[in-house]
Amino acid sequence: QLNNIITENLEEFHQEKNDILKAGLSNPKYIQTDDTGARHQGVNGYCTQIGNEFFTWFESTQSKSRINSLELLSHGVKETLYTFNDISLEYMQKQVLSKKWLSKLENIKIRITDKKEFQDWLEKNEIITPKNIRIVTESALIGGLTTQGIPVDLSIVSDGARQFNIFDHASCWIHAERGVNRLIHLNDENKKHVENARNDIWNIYQKLKEYKVNPNESMKQIIYNDFDAFSGKVTGYDALDNAINSFKKNKSDLLKVLDKPYLPLHNNLSERDIRDYVKKRKISGSTRSDEGRRARDTFASLKKTCKKLKISFLDYLKDRLLGSGNIPCLGKSVQVAACRSG
């Protein structure tokens, strides 16, 4: 009976959870995202968090990939749509899709809203290699999202995981620094090199914090110069040099805040959001029924969003269960809070 109470007849709550994501993506300055393990029916799976300072949304799936991330973002628009436009074609070029397929897809117009139908379309058009399937599917989903109003310059802040590197991606400095901090030193010289590298990283980080408060061109140039000097260093300690080189490769993502000072420098918000989820997983192990997994995602989303909107979660539950109607739809509250913040 307890199981039935927790998992059944929850359509009102599930709908409100979906409204939260739609509101959060309606006009965001940025979103942050992260994922964690979430076993389901004895099989390893993942739970992805999407949010910012006004909302949190969770969804569990059996995989984590860029396609999965784009499919989850599609929950925040009218429908999951597969289509091609200039933005999706540009994405295919960046992903180095062969010229043969680029020239062919430039002249193809599709509008598909069913995943199985799109997979059949891929097979019919002989797009069958894993790489081509991945690139074309990702580009079609990007085309669908941008067609439905998601801006191509939407900033997505993450820990740097590849599955979140879409649209205008920004990386977390704390995660980037861990690649240096976790190195094991075999001698004093290597230890000194690591200490110097970490000092360089946190000096740049401090300047970025100051820049966020007072953006100006002179400070921007100083930070660019400091970053280039650090990322161009060669110490002779191969593991450290590889870690430093990763900063160089991710320069654009790490310095995104210089163009958008309102972006956070780290992904702590997502990690805090997902912490309660991890605790629950450690206690209960995994979910067994599809409805149980869905209920867990829904109430985790509602609880965290209520907290960000400064609404008592207990009062919210009473309001919905008793039908009082005193607490407005959380989706509308998210939109109002975002508008007030400017």
Side-chain angles (χ1 to χ4, degrees), residues 29-31 73 94 142 150-158 164-171 252-253 255-257 259-260 262-263:
K29 285 186 176 181
Y30 68 91
I31 58 172
L73 287 175
K94 289 182 178 179
I142 288 173
I150 297 298
V152 68
D153 62 347
L154 170 65
S155 294
I156 298 180
V157 183
S158 81
F164 302 128
N165 191 357
I166 46 182
F167 296 107
D168 196 32
H169 184 253
S171 289
S252 176
D253 290 357
L255 297 183
K256 193 71 65 181
V257 70
D259 296 320
K260 298 181 176 181
Y262 51 82
L263 292 179

Side-chain angles (χ1 to χ4, degrees), residues 228-277:
D228 288 341
F230 163 69
S231 61
K233 283 185 175 180
V234 178
T235 66
Y237 178 16
D238 290 343
L240 176 58
D241 289 342
N242 289 335
I244 292 175
N245 191 51
S246 70
F247 275 79
K248 187 175 184 178
K249 289 180 179 178
N250 294 314
K251 176 180 178 179
S252 176
D253 290 357
L254 289 167
L255 297 183
K256 193 71 65 181
V257 70
L258 294 179
D259 296 320
K260 298 181 176 181
Y262 51 82
L263 292 179
L265 294 170
H266 52 70
N267 205 35
N268 288 357
L269 182 146
S270 287
E271 295 209 345
R272 286 196 300 268
D273 280 354
I274 220 164
R275 192 167 295 141
D276 285 351
Y277 200 100

Side-chain angles (χ1 to χ4, degrees), residues 24 46 51 62-63 66 72 85 87 89 124 130 150-151 179 194 197 225 227 253 280 291 310 324-325 340:
Y46 304 91
Q62 288 307 117
S63 67
R66 198 169 295 171
L72 294 181
N85 57 19
I87 296 169
L89 291 172
K124 179 182 178 182
I150 297 298
V194 169
N225 292 340
F227 188 94
D253 290 357
K280 187 178 293 291
E291 284 305 310
K310 295 181 172 54
S324 304
R340 286 176 180 173

Side-chain angles (χ1 to χ4, degrees), residues 29 54 337-342:
K29 285 186 176 181
F54 305 115
C339 289
R340 286 176 180 173
S341 74

